[in-house]
Structure formats: structure tokens, C-alpha cells
Amino acid sequence: MTAPHLLDLARALLRKNDAGPFTKPGPRQYPHQWNWDSALIALGLSHFDLPRALIEIRSLLSGQWKDGMLPHIVYHDAPSDYFPNPAFWQIENSPNASVFPTSGITQPPLLTTIVRRLHARHSIPNFIGKVYPSLLRWHRWLHTARDADNSRLACIIHPWESGTDDSPRWLEVMESIRLQEVPEFRRGDTLHVPAAERPHQVDYERFICLIDIFRRANYDPTALLARSPFLVQDVLFNSILHRADEDLRALAEEFGQPTGEIDSWMNDLRANFNRQLWDDSHGLYFDYDQRGGASIMINTAATFLPLFGGLASPEQAKRLVEEHLQNPLEYAPNENAHYWLTTTSQSEPAWEARRYWRGPVWIILNWLVIEGLRRYNYTDLADLIQRDSLELLARSGFREYYDPRDGLGCGSIDFSWSAALAFEFQEGV
Ligand code: DGY
């Protein structure tokens, strides 16, 4: 398939998934507005319909909570068979909640980086003036309401907040959670996607038990920091946050806004990130389990995100790339896995080629790693992964994730961010 044709298909898909104020990440599997999906969808839309891209962002921000939290799902008015539905979250018991139906947790803060990119490409000062205060409030919330140890690192309280829901790096922490009574629920995620490609039932029950704990605490941020059994400083989340802080700061400077507060978040986060999350003996970044007081020593592609965030030194970057990313026993293509980039190192016992975040190729991870490699001047490798990603999209269509062994598309069909990122791979550099 030629590249222009691929972009025609990508445009048609984003149009097809357009639900008015927002774009569905996947037509049946994800029929509402997801936070980081929406940021990438806006980036994709901006290649052919900038006004619609800006609507996408304003709609997402319409779900912002009074305390600044930007939820991981905004439901708008779209009835569906998706679970958890708004009634399950019970956000109305929180004094901070949005007036719109939303979930009660957040997701990786990619939005500011995308907003700045749109401004750099299209010059949208009026739009920036309108959204800047909301972005600042979200960043402030992340650096305070989610700061468990005064480090300015944000903690996540649920695997869904990592965006990499059933990554093997959450297994041990999740297993340590004593399952109280599991609330009654019926999974919706296996209605449209085979169960073998979705999280195991036991993991799903723990996801739901965590939500039950949060809703019982009325989503009070202080109570959640004190009580959530899942409390993790995530490498991926904080790398994206640091990059977003950089972008927020650049906007602040351009628009004559104060930068001191953002500078102090960035300085503290950078120092604490490398002190707490870098493991020199392995040459890898590992997440930190705040509740258990220990590093989570599982090797996943999240370890490359400090390249995207600009948090690694050149020496750290060299180790990540040469010892791990290019290692066929871990991430590089080999006789078993033919496509860049498995989301979990193949050396991990929990690696699975087709199950959600246990190992398949995800286009978003490829894009984040490509961006990070370009930042550190690993241009040839970035080009290689980019070509490989385009080949996968052309061969198997816009799917949620791909089996790295044969490129087979898995998970949701017609997946919006895979279409959106085709534009970045083809036109964005
Ligand atoms: C799901 O339903 O699997 C989502 O990833 C939660 O955000």
C-alpha cells in the first residue's frame, strides 16, 4: 500500500470514529473520550482539520475536575455497553468532581506536549490563551495532589492511570493487594475483543476493587495517597509529565506567564527521578512502589520513556539503547519477533505476544520511543522503527496492538490513535 493511500484511510477512520464533540478511540471497544487517546487524536486531526482538532481538546478539558484533575475518561452523553459506566464510578460523591460524567482517575499527561506542537505548527495564540489555565491546573494537581514524598514525582494509584493497564510491571504490586469483597460487575471489554487478548480475570477483578476503594473514599486526594494499596512512581508517566512541563514552560514564556513554579517542579522531578528510578547495575529505569518501598524490577519498554522526557544523560541513553533497545534478546527484532518494538522485554517470563500490554507492539510506544531517539540523535534507529511502524499499519490496518511475530492486528479494530500517528510518521518530521 502506498503511503498517501494509507493517509486517506487514516483520515477516513478518524472521520468515521467522530462522535461529535469527541472521537472514539475504538468504535465498539472504547466508545467514549479517553484522555491520552484524545491528545493523539487531536494531533492526527490537525493534519487535515485543525478546527476539529481544537474541538477535541476543548471537549476533553470540559471534563476537568474542580481541583484540576483531568480524568482518564469523559463519557459525554454516549450510552454504550462499556464497563465501567459512569454509575459505577460514583464521582458525584466527590466535592471536586466535574459536572460531566467522567471516571475518577487520570492518565499520562501528554496533552500539553500536543497543544504546544499544534501551536508550533499552526500558530493558535487565542486557543492557547483559553486552554493554558486548565493545563497549568492539571500539572499543579499532578505535582501536589499526587506527590507522596515531596519529590514532585507524581504517583499513580491504578494501573489504568499508567495507560499500560496490564503491564507485567504491575503484577507483583497487584498480587499484594488483599482482595476484599469484589463488587458485582460484568466485564464489557471482552464483548468485542477475544478474552485471550485482554487482561486476565484476576487482574481485572483487582482493577475493579481499586475503583471500589477510591469511590468509598469519595476520591479525596489526601485519603487516596494515604490509603490506595497501589501507589507507584511510574517511569512512563513521570517522563511524559516532565516533557509536558517543558512544553508548558515554553508556552508560559511565550505568553508572558510566570515560570518559577514550573521550574521548581522540573528541577525537583529531574533530580528525584534519576535518584529514585535509575538502576545503574542494570542500566535500566524501574518504577518505584511507594507503598512497598521497593523498585519494581521488571524490564518493559517504559524504560525508554526518559528519552522522550529528556531525563536521561547521554551516558544513560547510550546504555538504554545499546544494551537493551537494540538487544534481540529483549526488544530488537529477532527470529521470533519480527517487528519493532515489543512493549515488554522478551526476556521477561510474563512476556506474551498477543495479550494487551504484556508484549505486543503498540504504535503509541513506537512513536514515543522514536521521538525520544530523535531527541538524543539516534536518528537512524528512529527512522528504522518509523519505517517498520508504517509497514505494520499498511499491512494489518489501524489496530490497537500487533503480534510482533507475524504482525497480526489485535485488540480493537479501527483504532484511532494508530491512524492519527500514521500522519506523524508520514508527514510530521
Ligand atoms: C479499559 O477499559 O481497558 C481501559 O483501558 C481502561 O482505561
mmCIF file of all heavy atoms in Angstrom, residues 279-323:
data_model
loop_
_atom_site.group_PDB
_atom_site.id
_atom_site.type_symbol
_atom_site.label_atom_id
_atom_site.label_comp_id
_atom_site.label_asym_id
_atom_site.label_seq_id
_atom_site.Cartn_x
_atom_site.Cartn_y
_atom_site.Cartn_z
ATOM 1 N N ASP A 279 18.508 2.509 37.725
ATOM 2 C CA ASP A 279 19.242 1.398 38.330
ATOM 3 C C ASP A 279 20.529 1.208 37.526
ATOM 4 O O ASP A 279 20.497 0.701 36.404
ATOM 5 C CB ASP A 279 18.371 0.130 38.289
ATOM 6 C CG ASP A 279 19.072 -1.057 38.940
ATOM 7 O OD1 ASP A 279 20.194 -1.401 38.507
ATOM 8 O OD2 ASP A 279 18.503 -1.641 39.864
ATOM 9 N N ASP A 280 21.626 1.639 38.133
ATOM 10 C CA ASP A 280 22.885 1.662 37.385
ATOM 11 C C ASP A 280 23.409 0.255 37.100
ATOM 12 O O ASP A 280 24.074 0.026 36.093
ATOM 13 C CB ASP A 280 23.922 2.485 38.158
ATOM 14 C CG ASP A 280 24.987 3.020 37.236
ATOM 15 O OD1 ASP A 280 24.633 3.597 36.182
ATOM 16 O OD2 ASP A 280 26.178 2.817 37.539
ATOM 17 N N SER A 281 23.090 -0.689 37.994
ATOM 18 C CA SER A 281 23.641 -2.026 37.755
ATOM 19 C C SER A 281 22.998 -2.680 36.527
ATOM 20 O O SER A 281 23.650 -3.415 35.801
ATOM 21 C CB SER A 281 23.495 -2.912 38.999
ATOM 22 O OG SER A 281 22.134 -3.047 39.302
ATOM 23 N N HIS A 282 21.722 -2.404 36.275
ATOM 24 C CA HIS A 282 21.071 -2.978 35.088
ATOM 25 C C HIS A 282 21.103 -2.034 33.880
ATOM 26 O O HIS A 282 20.807 -2.457 32.770
ATOM 27 C CB HIS A 282 19.601 -3.308 35.390
ATOM 28 C CG HIS A 282 19.426 -4.433 36.353
ATOM 29 N ND1 HIS A 282 19.438 -4.259 37.726
ATOM 30 C CD2 HIS A 282 19.252 -5.758 36.146
ATOM 31 C CE1 HIS A 282 19.274 -5.430 38.318
ATOM 32 N NE2 HIS A 282 19.164 -6.351 37.394
ATOM 33 N N GLY A 283 21.376 -0.756 34.128
ATOM 34 C CA GLY A 283 21.299 0.211 33.023
ATOM 35 C C GLY A 283 19.869 0.410 32.560
ATOM 36 O O GLY A 283 19.596 0.610 31.369
ATOM 37 N N LEU A 284 18.931 0.350 33.511
ATOM 38 C CA LEU A 284 17.505 0.478 33.198
ATOM 39 C C LEU A 284 16.835 1.421 34.191
ATOM 40 O O LEU A 284 17.299 1.552 35.336
ATOM 41 C CB LEU A 284 16.810 -0.887 33.323
ATOM 42 C CG LEU A 284 17.092 -1.954 32.265
ATOM 43 C CD1 LEU A 284 16.591 -3.310 32.734
ATOM 44 C CD2 LEU A 284 16.441 -1.583 30.929
ATOM 45 N N TYR A 285 15.736 2.022 33.785
ATOM 46 C CA TYR A 285 14.869 2.726 34.726
ATOM 47 C C TYR A 285 13.786 1.758 35.193
ATOM 48 O O TYR A 285 13.197 1.033 34.387
ATOM 49 C CB TYR A 285 14.192 3.921 34.044
ATOM 50 C CG TYR A 285 15.111 5.109 33.840
ATOM 51 C CD1 TYR A 285 15.749 5.311 32.628
ATOM 52 C CD2 TYR A 285 15.317 6.034 34.862
ATOM 53 C CE1 TYR A 285 16.590 6.403 32.432
ATOM 54 C CE2 TYR A 285 16.155 7.137 34.668
ATOM 55 C CZ TYR A 285 16.785 7.307 33.458
ATOM 56 O OH TYR A 285 17.614 8.399 33.275
ATOM 57 N N PHE A 286 13.538 1.759 36.508
ATOM 58 C CA PHE A 286 12.465 0.929 37.067
ATOM 59 C C PHE A 286 11.485 1.809 37.835
ATOM 60 O O PHE A 286 11.893 2.766 38.510
ATOM 61 C CB PHE A 286 13.032 -0.104 38.051
ATOM 62 C CG PHE A 286 13.854 -1.194 37.403
ATOM 63 C CD1 PHE A 286 15.153 -1.448 37.839
ATOM 64 C CD2 PHE A 286 13.331 -1.984 36.384
ATOM 65 C CE1 PHE A 286 15.915 -2.453 37.263
ATOM 66 C CE2 PHE A 286 14.090 -3.000 35.804
ATOM 67 C CZ PHE A 286 15.379 -3.237 36.237
ATOM 68 N N ASP A 287 10.206 1.455 37.800
ATOM 69 C CA ASP A 287 9.196 2.144 38.613
ATOM 70 C C ASP A 287 9.475 1.883 40.095
ATOM 71 O O ASP A 287 10.151 0.916 40.449
ATOM 72 C CB ASP A 287 7.796 1.616 38.290
ATOM 73 C CG ASP A 287 7.503 1.672 36.811
ATOM 74 O OD1 ASP A 287 7.725 2.721 36.211
ATOM 75 O OD2 ASP A 287 7.074 0.637 36.251
ATOM 76 N N TYR A 288 8.895 2.727 40.929
ATOM 77 C CA TYR A 288 9.103 2.573 42.373
ATOM 78 C C TYR A 288 7.762 2.405 43.079
ATOM 79 O O TYR A 288 6.850 3.221 42.911
ATOM 80 C CB TYR A 288 9.843 3.792 42.924
ATOM 81 C CG TYR A 288 10.266 3.613 44.362
ATOM 82 C CD1 TYR A 288 11.400 2.853 44.685
ATOM 83 C CD2 TYR A 288 9.528 4.181 45.407
ATOM 84 C CE1 TYR A 288 11.783 2.671 46.003
ATOM 85 C CE2 TYR A 288 9.911 4.002 46.724
ATOM 86 C CZ TYR A 288 11.029 3.255 47.008
ATOM 87 O OH TYR A 288 11.409 3.073 48.321
ATOM 88 N N ASP A 289 7.656 1.322 43.819
ATOM 89 C CA ASP A 289 6.437 1.030 44.586
ATOM 90 C C ASP A 289 6.523 1.778 45.915
ATOM 91 O O ASP A 289 7.218 1.356 46.826
ATOM 92 C CB ASP A 289 6.359 -0.493 44.788
ATOM 93 C CG ASP A 289 5.263 -0.907 45.754
ATOM 94 O OD1 ASP A 289 4.417 -0.067 46.111
ATOM 95 O OD2 ASP A 289 5.278 -2.089 46.164
ATOM 96 N N GLN A 290 5.808 2.906 45.983
ATOM 97 C CA GLN A 290 5.853 3.750 47.194
ATOM 98 C C GLN A 290 5.295 3.018 48.396
ATOM 99 O O GLN A 290 5.792 3.158 49.506
ATOM 100 C CB GLN A 290 5.022 5.013 46.973
ATOM 101 C CG GLN A 290 5.795 6.217 46.504
ATOM 102 C CD GLN A 290 6.691 6.801 47.592
ATOM 103 O OE1 GLN A 290 6.371 6.728 48.789
ATOM 104 N NE2 GLN A 290 7.808 7.368 47.180
ATOM 105 N N ARG A 291 4.231 2.249 48.179
ATOM 106 C CA ARG A 291 3.593 1.574 49.314
ATOM 107 C C ARG A 291 4.520 0.498 49.887
ATOM 108 O O ARG A 291 4.707 0.382 51.080
ATOM 109 C CB ARG A 291 2.265 0.957 48.829
ATOM 110 C CG ARG A 291 1.313 0.539 49.858
ATOM 111 C CD ARG A 291 0.826 1.630 50.814
ATOM 112 N NE ARG A 291 -0.214 2.503 50.344
ATOM 113 C CZ ARG A 291 -0.210 3.835 50.543
ATOM 114 N NH1 ARG A 291 0.775 4.440 51.183
ATOM 115 N NH2 ARG A 291 -1.195 4.578 50.113
ATOM 116 N N GLY A 292 5.133 -0.274 48.988
ATOM 117 C CA GLY A 292 6.015 -1.364 49.432
ATOM 118 C C GLY A 292 7.435 -0.891 49.698
ATOM 119 O O GLY A 292 8.241 -1.634 50.263
ATOM 120 N N GLY A 293 7.792 0.325 49.248
ATOM 121 C CA GLY A 293 9.141 0.844 49.470
ATOM 122 C C GLY A 293 10.204 0.079 48.696
ATOM 123 O O GLY A 293 11.280 -0.191 49.225
ATOM 124 N N ALA A 294 9.914 -0.273 47.438
ATOM 125 C CA ALA A 294 10.905 -1.038 46.666
ATOM 126 C C ALA A 294 10.761 -0.745 45.171
ATOM 127 O O ALA A 294 9.673 -0.409 44.690
ATOM 128 C CB ALA A 294 10.702 -2.537 46.899
ATOM 129 N N SER A 295 11.889 -0.925 44.459
ATOM 130 C CA SER A 295 11.840 -0.792 42.998
ATOM 131 C C SER A 295 11.103 -1.971 42.393
ATOM 132 O O SER A 295 11.160 -3.079 42.927
ATOM 133 C CB SER A 295 13.259 -0.781 42.423
ATOM 134 O OG SER A 295 13.907 0.384 42.819
ATOM 135 N N ILE A 296 10.442 -1.714 41.273
ATOM 136 C CA ILE A 296 9.729 -2.792 40.561
ATOM 137 C C ILE A 296 10.641 -3.207 39.407
ATOM 138 O O ILE A 296 10.671 -2.556 38.366
ATOM 139 C CB ILE A 296 8.365 -2.286 40.048
ATOM 140 C CG1 ILE A 296 7.526 -1.774 41.226
ATOM 141 C CG2 ILE A 296 7.647 -3.380 39.272
ATOM 142 C CD1 ILE A 296 6.221 -1.106 40.811
ATOM 143 N N MET A 297 11.391 -4.278 39.618
ATOM 144 C CA MET A 297 12.476 -4.584 38.682
ATOM 145 C C MET A 297 11.998 -5.461 37.525
ATOM 146 O O MET A 297 12.404 -6.617 37.371
ATOM 147 C CB MET A 297 13.636 -5.201 39.446
ATOM 148 C CG MET A 297 14.157 -4.176 40.449
ATOM 149 S SD MET A 297 15.424 -4.747 41.517
ATOM 150 C CE MET A 297 16.807 -4.631 40.462
ATOM 151 N N ILE A 298 11.128 -4.888 36.728
ATOM 152 C CA ILE A 298 10.607 -5.570 35.545
ATOM 153 C C ILE A 298 10.980 -4.726 34.331
ATOM 154 O O ILE A 298 10.783 -3.512 34.327
ATOM 155 C CB ILE A 298 9.063 -5.720 35.619
ATOM 156 C CG1 ILE A 298 8.631 -6.470 36.886
ATOM 157 C CG2 ILE A 298 8.529 -6.421 34.371
ATOM 158 C CD1 ILE A 298 8.979 -7.934 36.910
ATOM 159 N N ASN A 299 11.500 -5.404 33.327
ATOM 160 C CA ASN A 299 12.038 -4.731 32.153
ATOM 161 C C ASN A 299 10.956 -4.584 31.069
ATOM 162 O O ASN A 299 10.616 -5.545 30.387
ATOM 163 C CB ASN A 299 13.224 -5.581 31.661
ATOM 164 C CG ASN A 299 13.954 -4.975 30.480
ATOM 165 O OD1 ASN A 299 13.600 -3.899 29.991
ATOM 166 N ND2 ASN A 299 14.979 -5.669 30.019
ATOM 167 N N THR A 300 10.405 -3.373 30.957
ATOM 168 C CA THR A 300 9.425 -3.106 29.890
ATOM 169 C C THR A 300 9.869 -1.871 29.108
ATOM 170 O O THR A 300 10.750 -1.131 29.547
ATOM 171 C CB THR A 300 8.003 -2.838 30.444
ATOM 172 O OG1 THR A 300 7.990 -1.535 31.028
ATOM 173 C CG2 THR A 300 7.562 -3.887 31.445
ATOM 174 N N ALA A 301 9.191 -1.637 27.986
ATOM 175 C CA ALA A 301 9.577 -0.519 27.121
ATOM 176 C C ALA A 301 9.370 0.842 27.786
ATOM 177 O O ALA A 301 9.867 1.854 27.279
ATOM 178 C CB ALA A 301 8.807 -0.590 25.805
ATOM 179 N N ALA A 302 8.695 0.876 28.919
ATOM 180 C CA ALA A 302 8.571 2.136 29.668
ATOM 181 C C ALA A 302 9.950 2.687 30.019
ATOM 182 O O ALA A 302 10.125 3.903 30.160
ATOM 183 C CB ALA A 302 7.752 1.901 30.938
ATOM 184 N N THR A 303 10.928 1.812 30.096
ATOM 185 C CA THR A 303 12.277 2.228 30.481
ATOM 186 C C THR A 303 12.897 3.204 29.475
ATOM 187 O O THR A 303 13.832 3.923 29.805
ATOM 188 C CB THR A 303 13.188 0.982 30.677
ATOM 189 O OG1 THR A 303 14.314 1.348 31.466
ATOM 190 C CG2 THR A 303 13.655 0.406 29.349
ATOM 191 N N PHE A 304 12.359 3.237 28.237
ATOM 192 C CA PHE A 304 12.921 4.139 27.225
ATOM 193 C C PHE A 304 12.265 5.519 27.230
ATOM 194 O O PHE A 304 12.682 6.408 26.503
ATOM 195 C CB PHE A 304 12.776 3.511 25.821
ATOM 196 C CG PHE A 304 13.405 2.143 25.739
ATOM 197 C CD1 PHE A 304 12.643 1.022 25.429
ATOM 198 C CD2 PHE A 304 14.755 1.976 25.999
ATOM 199 C CE1 PHE A 304 13.219 -0.245 25.372
ATOM 200 C CE2 PHE A 304 15.339 0.714 25.954
ATOM 201 C CZ PHE A 304 14.569 -0.397 25.637
ATOM 202 N N LEU A 305 11.233 5.687 28.048
ATOM 203 C CA LEU A 305 10.499 6.955 28.030
ATOM 204 C C LEU A 305 11.305 8.155 28.535
ATOM 205 O O LEU A 305 11.049 9.294 28.133
ATOM 206 C CB LEU A 305 9.187 6.810 28.799
ATOM 207 C CG LEU A 305 7.952 6.502 27.945
ATOM 208 C CD1 LEU A 305 7.540 7.701 27.133
ATOM 209 C CD2 LEU A 305 8.188 5.335 27.002
ATOM 210 N N PRO A 306 12.304 7.961 29.421
ATOM 211 C CA PRO A 306 13.116 9.125 29.812
ATOM 212 C C PRO A 306 13.819 9.782 28.623
ATOM 213 O O PRO A 306 14.228 10.937 28.711
ATOM 214 C CB PRO A 306 14.110 8.531 30.817
ATOM 215 C CG PRO A 306 13.352 7.376 31.421
ATOM 216 C CD PRO A 306 12.586 6.790 30.277
ATOM 217 N N LEU A 307 13.924 9.075 27.498
ATOM 218 C CA LEU A 307 14.463 9.716 26.287
ATOM 219 C C LEU A 307 13.440 10.732 25.779
ATOM 220 O O LEU A 307 13.783 11.861 25.436
ATOM 221 C CB LEU A 307 14.762 8.673 25.203
ATOM 222 C CG LEU A 307 15.713 7.525 25.598
ATOM 223 C CD1 LEU A 307 15.866 6.547 24.437
ATOM 224 C CD2 LEU A 307 17.077 8.072 25.999
ATOM 225 N N PHE A 308 12.184 10.361 25.774
ATOM 226 C CA PHE A 308 11.110 11.278 25.365
ATOM 227 C C PHE A 308 11.065 12.473 26.319
ATOM 228 O O PHE A 308 10.865 13.613 25.905
ATOM 229 C CB PHE A 308 9.776 10.520 25.378
ATOM 230 C CG PHE A 308 8.582 11.359 25.022
ATOM 231 C CD1 PHE A 308 8.292 11.649 23.696
ATOM 232 C CD2 PHE A 308 7.729 11.843 26.012
ATOM 233 C CE1 PHE A 308 7.180 12.418 23.361
ATOM 234 C CE2 PHE A 308 6.616 12.612 25.684
ATOM 235 C CZ PHE A 308 6.348 12.902 24.349
ATOM 236 N N GLY A 309 11.257 12.188 27.597
ATOM 237 C CA GLY A 309 11.163 13.242 28.610
ATOM 238 C C GLY A 309 12.433 14.073 28.743
ATOM 239 O O GLY A 309 12.452 15.043 29.491
ATOM 240 N N GLY A 310 13.507 13.689 28.063
ATOM 241 C CA GLY A 310 14.766 14.424 28.203
ATOM 242 C C GLY A 310 15.371 14.277 29.591
ATOM 243 O O GLY A 310 16.107 15.145 30.064
ATOM 244 N N LEU A 311 15.095 13.169 30.252
ATOM 245 C CA LEU A 311 15.549 12.990 31.637
ATOM 246 C C LEU A 311 16.832 12.174 31.744
ATOM 247 O O LEU A 311 17.460 12.138 32.802
ATOM 248 C CB LEU A 311 14.437 12.294 32.447
ATOM 249 C CG LEU A 311 13.268 13.203 32.837
ATOM 250 C CD1 LEU A 311 12.011 12.395 33.132
ATOM 251 C CD2 LEU A 311 13.637 14.053 34.050
ATOM 252 N N ALA A 312 17.203 11.492 30.675
ATOM 253 C CA ALA A 312 18.403 10.646 30.723
ATOM 254 C C ALA A 312 19.617 11.468 30.311
ATOM 255 O O ALA A 312 19.515 12.350 29.460
ATOM 256 C CB ALA A 312 18.222 9.465 29.768
ATOM 257 N N SER A 313 20.769 11.172 30.910
ATOM 258 C CA SER A 313 22.016 11.783 30.439
ATOM 259 C C SER A 313 22.422 11.063 29.146
ATOM 260 O O SER A 313 21.918 9.963 28.861
ATOM 261 C CB SER A 313 23.105 11.598 31.495
ATOM 262 O OG SER A 313 23.417 10.213 31.578
ATOM 263 N N PRO A 314 23.350 11.624 28.380
ATOM 264 C CA PRO A 314 23.803 10.913 27.167
ATOM 265 C C PRO A 314 24.332 9.520 27.499
ATOM 266 O O PRO A 314 24.123 8.578 26.739
ATOM 267 C CB PRO A 314 24.907 11.820 26.611
ATOM 268 C CG PRO A 314 24.584 13.175 27.139
ATOM 269 C CD PRO A 314 23.934 12.977 28.482
ATOM 270 N N GLU A 315 24.977 9.370 28.650
ATOM 271 C CA GLU A 315 25.520 8.041 29.018
ATOM 272 C C GLU A 315 24.386 7.075 29.338
ATOM 273 O O GLU A 315 24.422 5.906 28.956
ATOM 274 C CB GLU A 315 26.444 8.153 30.259
ATOM 275 C CG GLU A 315 27.724 8.944 30.029
ATOM 276 C CD GLU A 315 27.481 10.451 29.910
ATOM 277 O OE1 GLU A 315 26.553 10.994 30.561
ATOM 278 O OE2 GLU A 315 28.210 11.098 29.117
ATOM 279 N N GLN A 316 23.401 7.557 30.061
ATOM 280 C CA GLN A 316 22.251 6.688 30.361
ATOM 281 C C GLN A 316 21.535 6.298 29.063
ATOM 282 O O GLN A 316 21.161 5.137 28.872
ATOM 283 C CB GLN A 316 21.274 7.400 31.307
ATOM 284 C CG GLN A 316 21.794 7.520 32.730
ATOM 285 C CD GLN A 316 20.944 8.467 33.569
ATOM 286 O OE1 GLN A 316 20.564 9.553 33.108
ATOM 287 N NE2 GLN A 316 20.660 8.075 34.794
ATOM 288 N N ALA A 317 21.393 7.268 28.165
ATOM 289 C CA ALA A 317 20.718 6.993 26.890
ATOM 290 C C ALA A 317 21.477 5.907 26.125
ATOM 291 O O ALA A 317 20.878 4.974 25.577
ATOM 292 C CB ALA A 317 20.640 8.274 26.062
ATOM 293 N N LYS A 318 22.799 6.021 26.112
ATOM 294 C CA LYS A 318 23.623 5.046 25.384
ATOM 295 C C LYS A 318 23.394 3.637 25.943
ATOM 296 O O LYS A 318 23.244 2.673 25.199
ATOM 297 C CB LYS A 318 25.083 5.464 25.546
ATOM 298 C CG LYS A 318 26.066 4.744 24.665
ATOM 299 C CD LYS A 318 27.401 5.511 24.728
ATOM 300 C CE LYS A 318 28.461 5.013 23.788
ATOM 301 N NZ LYS A 318 28.845 3.665 23.812
ATOM 302 N N ARG A 319 23.345 3.531 27.243
ATOM 303 C CA ARG A 319 23.132 2.206 27.846
ATOM 304 C C ARG A 319 21.743 1.670 27.493
ATOM 305 O O ARG A 319 21.593 0.497 27.156
ATOM 306 C CB ARG A 319 23.310 2.283 29.365
ATOM 307 C CG ARG A 319 24.758 2.544 29.759
ATOM 308 C CD ARG A 319 25.001 2.261 31.215
ATOM 309 N NE ARG A 319 24.830 0.850 31.534
ATOM 310 C CZ ARG A 319 24.824 0.368 32.784
ATOM 311 N NH1 ARG A 319 24.966 1.199 33.799
ATOM 312 N NH2 ARG A 319 24.668 -0.912 32.998
ATOM 313 N N LEU A 320 20.747 2.537 27.595
ATOM 314 C CA LEU A 320 19.381 2.090 27.263
ATOM 315 C C LEU A 320 19.319 1.569 25.825
ATOM 316 O O LEU A 320 18.749 0.505 25.556
ATOM 317 C CB LEU A 320 18.383 3.249 27.426
ATOM 318 C CG LEU A 320 18.090 3.709 28.852
ATOM 319 C CD1 LEU A 320 17.286 5.012 28.830
ATOM 320 C CD2 LEU A 320 17.316 2.642 29.630
ATOM 321 N N VAL A 321 19.914 2.324 24.931
ATOM 322 C CA VAL A 321 19.810 1.974 23.506
ATOM 323 C C VAL A 321 20.678 0.759 23.187
ATOM 324 O O VAL A 321 20.211 -0.220 22.591
ATOM 325 C CB VAL A 321 20.208 3.181 22.627
ATOM 326 C CG1 VAL A 321 20.321 2.777 21.163
ATOM 327 C CG2 VAL A 321 19.180 4.298 22.789
ATOM 328 N N GLU A 322 21.945 0.815 23.597
ATOM 329 C CA GLU A 322 22.872 -0.232 23.135
ATOM 330 C C GLU A 322 22.711 -1.540 23.898
ATOM 331 O O GLU A 322 22.815 -2.615 23.328
ATOM 332 C CB GLU A 322 24.313 0.281 23.227
ATOM 333 C CG GLU A 322 24.554 1.378 22.191
ATOM 334 C CD GLU A 322 25.962 1.935 22.202
ATOM 335 O OE1 GLU A 322 26.822 1.413 22.963
ATOM 336 O OE2 GLU A 322 26.197 2.895 21.447
ATOM 337 N N GLU A 323 22.455 -1.450 25.201
ATOM 338 C CA GLU A 323 22.365 -2.694 25.980
ATOM 339 C C GLU A 323 20.978 -3.323 25.906
ATOM 340 O O GLU A 323 20.832 -4.518 26.120
ATOM 341 C CB GLU A 323 22.727 -2.434 27.452
ATOM 342 C CG GLU A 323 24.180 -2.056 27.651
ATOM 343 C CD GLU A 323 24.501 -1.670 29.103
ATOM 344 O OE1 GLU A 323 23.807 -2.141 30.033
ATOM 345 O OE2 GLU A 323 25.443 -0.875 29.288
#
